[in-house]
Amino acid sequence: VMDAFKVDCQCPLCKMRDDIENDNIAFAMGPSYMEDYIRFETDEKGYCSRHIKKLYEYNNRLGLALIMETHLKNVKKQVDTLSKEKSSGGLFKKKEKKPITEYLDKLNGSCFVCDRLNDTFDRYVATILYLWKKEDKDFLELYKNCKGFCFEHLNALLKYADKESYIYELACQLVQEAYSYFQDHFPL
């Protein structure tokens, strides 16, 4: 967290998210893909199109080929199993969603990298708000000198802040400071 606030950038949370994403791509394409428990998870979840592209750009074609081979075998096995199930719909019954389309919808909404990224990012947001509450002098100095947050990440702070009232108050303070920063640096 502190490292991202030390970088001269528009949004320290964007920097954090990019770093976490790059670390997770490197993790997915490093030796971890040979670990059974990781391969099991990637076989089940797969990857979103954004992260498939990033995995491809990582230039470990053999690793990506192995990951995709076992993932696609798993998808084929699931589709084969689900295609044997009969739907319980009749002529006048409400049409139910097919098990295969339910499975594919679930698969399209899951990504190994996104899940790891979001879990880590949520902890970083909690750490930011914790440091703020604790009034950590080093952090507050870095925060005071940062340029603010993009709306997406300001919203992330506010979403987390809803969980505890003191954090919500602090996040509202962040919104006000971001607004003041904008007014000071971009007067009308």
Side-chain angles (χ1 to χ4, degrees):
V1 170
M2 301 292 265
D3 290 342
F5 276 85
K6 289 177 184 176
V7 174
D8 183 29
C9 61
Q10 294 301 315
C11 176
L13 275 76
C14 285
K15 171 72 173 130
M16 273 187 260
R17 190 164 185 88
D18 289 346
D19 289 348
I20 297 166
E21 183 177 49
N22 291 336
D23 290 348
N24 279 292
I25 294 294
F27 176 80
M29 295 309 295
S32 70
Y33 70 82
M34 296 305 288
E35 297 290 335
D36 289 340
Y37 71 99
I38 297 294
R39 187 69 72 84
F40 177 79
E41 194 173 347
T42 61
D43 288 351
E44 291 295 314
K45 291 181 180 180
Y47 296 93
C48 66
S49 58
R50 171 185 166 82
H51 289 127
I52 286 282
K53 185 175 187 241
K54 286 195 170 272
L55 292 170
Y56 182 77
E57 290 168 352
Y58 196 78
N59 288 325
N60 180 352
R61 300 301 195 282
L62 177 60
L64 183 58
L66 292 170
I67 290 168
M68 295 310 296
E69 178 186 33
T70 58
H71 172 62
L72 293 173
K73 281 181 183 177
N74 184 61
V75 170
K76 183 182 181 322
K77 180 180 163 188
Q78 294 292 330
V79 168
D80 288 346
T81 302
L82 293 170
S83 67
K84 294 174 185 169
E85 292 182 14
K86 303 239 183 208
S87 62
S88 60
L91 184 58
F92 297 107
K93 289 188 176 182
K94 183 179 175 183
K95 191 173 183 176
E96 294 179 6
K97 212 171 186 184
K98 295 175 184 170
I100 293 174
T101 59
E102 285 180 353
Y103 169 71
L104 293 174
D105 284 345
K106 180 183 169 195
L107 188 61
N108 283 329
S110 69
C111 173
F112 176 74
V113 173
C114 287
D115 288 352
R116 288 177 55 91
L117 169 64
N118 292 333
D119 289 345
T120 305
F121 186 76
D122 288 347
R123 288 193 308 274
Y124 281 14
V125 169
T127 301
I128 290 168
L129 295 170
Y130 170 78
L131 290 170
W132 182 281
K133 178 184 182 243
K134 185 180 150 194
E135 296 183 11
D136 181 278
K137 289 179 184 177
D138 294 333
F139 172 75
L140 291 176
E141 184 63 31
L142 289 171
Y143 169 76
K144 189 172 87 173
N145 294 322
C146 87
K147 295 179 181 177
F149 303 101
C150 68
F151 286 126
E152 177 185 351
H153 292 131
L154 189 57
N155 190 36
L157 289 168
L158 289 170
K159 282 180 181 176
Y160 188 84
D162 288 339
K163 296 176 183 173
E164 298 180 40
S165 62
Y166 74 88
I167 292 175
Y168 185 76
E169 292 171 21
L170 294 173
C172 287
Q173 195 173 0
L174 291 173
V175 171
Q176 182 58 44
E177 288 179 16
Y179 179 72
S180 296
Y181 177 87
F182 184 79
Q183 282 183 318
D184 292 345
H185 290 82
F186 304 101
L188 296 177

